[in-house]
Amino acid sequence: MRNTIVPIVIVVVTLAGLWYAAVVPMNIKTALTDAERGGAVVDPSGAKDRRNLSPFSLVAKNTFAIRQTFNQARPRLPAPHQILVELWNTTANKKITSKRSLVFHGWITLSATLLGFAIGTGLGIILAVGIVYNRAMDMSVMPWAIASQTIPILAIAPMIIVVLNSIGIQGLLPKAIISAYLSFFPVVVGMVKGLRSPDPMQLDLLKTYNSNSVQGFWKLRLPSSIPYLFASLKIGIAASLVGAIVGELPTGAIRGLGARLLAGSYYGQTVQIWSALLAAACLAATLVAIIGLLQRITLKRMGML
Amino acid sequence: MDTTPVIAASHLSLTFETADGPVSALTDINLDIKKGEFVSFIGPSGCGKTTFLRVMADLEKPTGGSITINNMSPGEARKKRAYGYVFQSASLYPWRTIGRNIRLPLEIMGYSKFEQTNRVNKVLELVDLSDFENKFPWQLSGGMQQRASIARALAFDADILLMDEPFGALDEIVRDHLNEQLLELWQRTKKTIGFVTHSIPEAVYLSTKIVVMSPRPGRITDIIDSPLPNKRPLEIRDSLEFIEIAHRVREGLRSGHRSE
C-alpha cells in the first residue's frame, strides 16, 4: 500500500501543478477586463487592445491580476480548488433530493448504467455462447457486432431515444439500452475468446469421458472463461457509464450527470461542467474498482490467483 | 489369462488430408494386445505412435483396415468408457483441487456423491497423493501433477489405460520413480496399458511387449515380447537381458531410419 501511495501522490501533485499553471494564461484576459472595470490600471489598457496579445506577455505585464485568475465566477478553465468546492457544495451540502445535488444526478446516471450493464453483459454472454456453439452465428453475428461499434454513439443515441419515446418507452430504459449498446461488445469479444480458451487436450479429455456438450460447457468452457469475463466487465462497466451519460444529452437536459454537463455548457457554467466530469470519472473509477474486487474474490475462490 | 485380444488392429491405416497433400500417418498396422499386457509404442517423432493411441481412444478415425476394443468399435468402447487416457501434460483444471479434478470424470459419468468420495480416496492412495486432495494443481510439482492425472484416469475403473508420453516433460530422477510406481500400479490393478514413449530404457523397463515404429509412412517395424519377469526392480536395467532387449529396440529404430 505504501509503495503505491507515494507515486500516486506525486502524479496527482504534478497534475495539479500543471493545471494551476495553465489556469493563469487561460483566464488572464477576463481577469484583466474585470480588474479594469474595478478601476485598476492595466497595461495595455482597453480589452480591444489586449485581444490579440499573447496571454503570457499579459501575465508578465500585469502580475497583480494572477490572484484573480483563480477565483472567477465563469473562468475558461476553473482552478482545481474551485471544482472541489463546487463538488463539496453539490454533494455534502445539498439534500440528495435536491435538483442541484450531484448525488441525485449521479444516482440517476448510475441506475441507468447498472441496468444497461446488466442487459449488455447478459446479451454479450448469450451472443458469445451462440457464436461458440453455432457455426451460423459464428459466421454472421461477429461482423454485425463489430459494425455496431463503428457507428458513433452520439449519432445513434438520439434516434434510440426518439424511436423508443414514440412507442411510449421513456425514462430509465432508453438510457440503459444505449448503455447496453456500448457494453455488450467487450463482453462478446472476451467471452468468445474465453469459451474457446480450453486447449485441445482438455477437450479430448472430456471426449474420453463421453461427456455431452452441456457438461462440457458448465465444467470446462464456462470456468475457463471467467478470467476473460472479468477483463471484459471492467471495460464494459466504464463503457456503460459513457453510454448512460450520452443517453442523457438528447433528453433535454433534465436529470443525470449528462444533463449537468449539458446545462453547464448552455449557461457557461464551466465549474459545473468540470465538477460533473470529475464526478463521472470518480464514479467510473469506483465501478471499475468494484469489478476488480469481485474479480479478485472470485479467482481466489477458484484457486486461480 | 484370457487369450482373446482386448485390442485387435488389422491392416489399420490412417491418412491425414493436409494442404500439402495426403500424409500417411499409419500404414498396415497389425497388432493384438491381450488383457493385462503392458505395451509400449516407441519410435521417433512422426512415426504415428500417438496417432495409433488416439485411434484406439476414438480421438482419430482410421481411414482403412479395422480395429476393435473389447470386440467393439473404438467409438462404442469410448461410449462405454472402456479406457482412461493420460495426456502428455497433466491438464488438470486449475480451478479444481486435486480431489475435485479426480472427481470430474465421476461427476460426468453420474456416480453418486458417496461413490465419488470413495473412489477419489482410493485412487489418491494408489498414487500416493492422499495428503494433497485439497491442494490446487499449481501447488504441486510436475511429477505430482502427472500422478494426479493418472489417478483421474484410474478413478472410473476402466480396464484399459492409454498413456501418451505421460512422463516426457519430467526429469530423469522423477521419471525413474514414477516408472517404478506405474509398474507397481499395473501389477496391482491388472489393467491393460498402452504407453507411448521416446525413451528406450523406459519402454524396456515397463513393457511386456514393445512395439517399435518408424516414420514416413508410420508403420510397425518390430514387435518384441519381453522376457523380463513381471517383478522388476530398477536395478534390472543393468542386467544382460535388459541390455539385449534395449539393443534390439535400438536396432529396430535404426533400421526404420535406414530405409528412408
Side-chain angles (χ1 to χ4, degrees):
Chain A
M1 201 60 186
R2 181 164 289 176
N3 291 345
T4 55
I5 281 178
V6 173
I8 288 174
V9 166
I10 290 175
V11 169
V12 169
V13 167
T14 310
L15 284 178
L18 286 172
W19 191 329
Y20 273 109
V23 165
V24 178
M26 287 292 283
N27 297 339
I28 190 71
K29 283 182 187 169
T30 42
L32 291 178
T33 309
D34 290 347
E36 202 165 36
R37 270 192 210 128
V41 182
V42 175
D43 175 28
S45 62
K48 218 175 193 176
D49 293 332
R50 288 194 296 269
R51 188 173 296 157
N52 294 322
L53 290 179
S54 140
F56 298 103
S57 67
L58 285 175
V59 173
K61 285 178 189 161
N62 304 282
T63 45
F64 72 92
I66 289 176
R67 271 181 68 87
Q68 278 96 306
T69 60
F70 297 122
N71 295 301
Q72 292 177 316
R74 290 179 178 188
R76 275 192 190 171
L77 179 64
H81 68 266
Q82 289 181 291
I83 297 165
L84 293 179
V85 168
E86 167 81 4
L87 264 180
W88 178 255
N89 286 337
T90 51
T91 51
N93 288 349
K94 283 272 185 311
K95 273 199 285 186
I96 58 164
T97 48
S98 160
K99 286 271 165 74
R100 286 185 163 175
S101 165
L102 262 189
V103 179
F104 166 78
H105 290 286
W107 165 248
I108 300 292
T109 304
L110 179 64
S111 56
T113 302
L114 293 180
L115 181 61
F117 178 63
I119 297 172
T121 303
L123 182 70
I125 292 176
I126 291 170
L127 284 177
V129 171
I131 286 170
V132 169
Y133 277 94
N134 183 306
R135 202 172 141 66
M137 277 185 79
D138 186 15
M139 307 287 280
S140 58
V141 172
M142 215 36 159
W144 285 102
I146 293 167
S148 77
Q149 301 304 301
T150 62
I151 300 168
I153 188 70
L154 267 172
I156 204 163
M159 293 195 269
I160 293 175
I161 303 276
V162 168
V163 167
L164 289 178
N165 192 40
S166 74
I167 56 170
I169 300 170
Q170 25 181 312
L172 187 64
L173 196 59
K175 288 195 284 179
I177 287 173
I178 294 165
S179 165
Y181 184 91
L182 285 188
S183 64
F184 89 97
F185 185 67
V187 176
V188 172
V189 174
M191 278 304 274
V192 166
K193 185 132 181 68
L195 291 171
R196 285 187 175 149
S197 66
D199 61 47
M201 229 180 256
Q202 287 175 319
L203 293 167
D204 278 347
L205 185 70
L206 284 185
K207 203 177 165 196
T208 68
Y209 301 151
N210 193 28
S211 80
N212 59 40
S213 56
V214 176
Q215 289 168 326
F217 176 75
W218 290 109
K219 295 200 186 291
L220 176 60
R221 287 193 191 268
L222 190 63
S224 305
S225 70
I226 297 301
Y228 295 85
L229 175 64
F230 275 108
S232 297
L233 291 184
K234 280 187 189 169
I235 305 168
I237 191 98
S240 279
L241 183 67
V242 172
I245 290 174
V246 171
E248 282 161 355
L249 299 180
T251 53
I254 306 161
R255 298 188 302 173
L257 291 177
R260 291 291 282 183
L261 289 175
L262 200 59
S265 73
Y266 281 163
Y267 303 113
Q269 296 289 347
T270 44
V271 181
Q272 182 188 322
I273 297 176
W274 280 92
S275 65
L277 272 180
L278 202 64
C282 291
L283 193 57
T286 310
L287 291 172
V288 172
I290 290 172
I291 302 274
L293 189 68
L294 288 177
Q295 177 180 30
R296 280 188 68 84
I297 293 169
T298 311
L299 292 187
K300 194 137 205 162
R301 287 189 61 173
M302 288 174 77
M304 301 211 286
L305 206 69
Chain B
M1 198 183 266
D2 193 358
T3 49
T4 57
V6 175
I7 297 166
S10 81
H11 305 293
L12 186 77
S13 66
L14 195 160
T15 306
F16 289 115
E17 294 298 333
T18 71
D20 301 330
V23 171
S24 181
L26 294 172
T27 45
D28 199 31
I29 301 287
N30 295 293
L31 183 72
D32 283 356
I33 298 176
K34 289 196 278 293
K35 189 169 167 47
E37 276 193 300
F38 195 128
V39 182
S40 283
F41 300 90
I42 188 165
S45 302
C47 72
K49 52 194 194 300
T50 294
T51 307
F52 186 35
L53 207 68
R54 289 175 64 84
V55 168
M56 290 183 212
D58 190 39
L59 296 173
E60 304 285 355
K61 298 263 181 276
T63 48
S66 73
I67 180 166
T68 60
I69 315 284
N70 291 334
N71 290 319
M72 290 175 284
S73 73
E76 286 164 343
R78 179 171 67 82
K79 292 193 175 74
K80 291 228 161 98
R81 286 134 180 177
Y83 59 88
Y85 203 103
V86 179
F87 291 89
Q88 284 170 17
S89 73
S91 58
L92 299 166
Y93 290 4
W95 57 88
R96 282 177 172 247
T97 59
I98 297 303
R100 291 194 61 231
N101 262 294
I102 296 171
R103 213 173 269 264
L104 174 74
L106 304 173
E107 285 171 10
I108 288 172
M109 294 172 192
Y111 286 84
S112 72
K113 279 269 182 313
F114 177 74
E115 182 71 13
Q116 287 177 20
T117 312
N118 274 349
R119 282 171 178 259
V120 169
N121 290 337
K122 202 183 90 187
V123 293
L124 275 173
E125 212 165 293
L126 217 52
V127 299
D128 202 14
L129 281 177
S130 295
D131 294 341
F132 297 90
E133 179 173 358
N134 295 318
K135 293 268 186 285
F136 282 101
W138 59 268
Q139 294 170 302
L140 272 62
S141 69
M144 287 159 97
Q145 290 186 18
Q146 200 52 277
R147 258 150 60 198
S149 95
I150 293 171
R152 183 178 55 187
L154 292 171
F156 50 99
D157 235 352
D159 35 288
I160 303 170
L161 194 56
L162 301 174
M163 308 177 87
D164 183 7
E165 290 187 53
F167 308 138
L170 305 175
D171 69 64
E172 196 80 22
I173 296 162
V174 176
R175 198 170 176 153
D176 279 354
H177 185 58
L178 288 182
N179 280 342
E180 242 181 326
Q181 285 192 321
L182 181 60
L183 262 187
E184 200 187 305
L185 198 90
W186 166 68
Q187 278 154 13
R188 254 200 288 173
T189 56
K190 308 264 185 273
K191 297 208 182 295
T192 310
I193 298 185
F195 189 95
V196 166
T197 180
H198 268 122
S199 154
I200 297 174
E202 189 172 67
V204 179
Y205 177 65
L206 291 172
S207 326
T208 57
K209 183 181 274 193
I210 302 157
V211 178
V212 184
M213 300 181 72
S214 82
R216 285 173 293 271
R219 65 195 186 277
I220 294 177
T221 48
D222 197 4
I223 297 176
I224 306 164
D225 284 303
S226 172
L228 295 179
N230 274 6
K231 264 250 166 292
R232 299 175 188 181
L234 272 177
E235 297 79 63
I236 207 170
R237 293 185 298 185
D238 300 323
S239 73
L240 198 60
E241 269 175 315
F242 188 98
I243 292 165
E244 275 170 0
I245 307 165
H247 179 74
R248 188 170 154 193
V249 173
R250 197 169 291 116
E251 285 299 306
L253 290 173
R254 198 171 296 159
S255 74
H257 265 280
R258 254 204 304 273
S259 67
E260 273 178 31

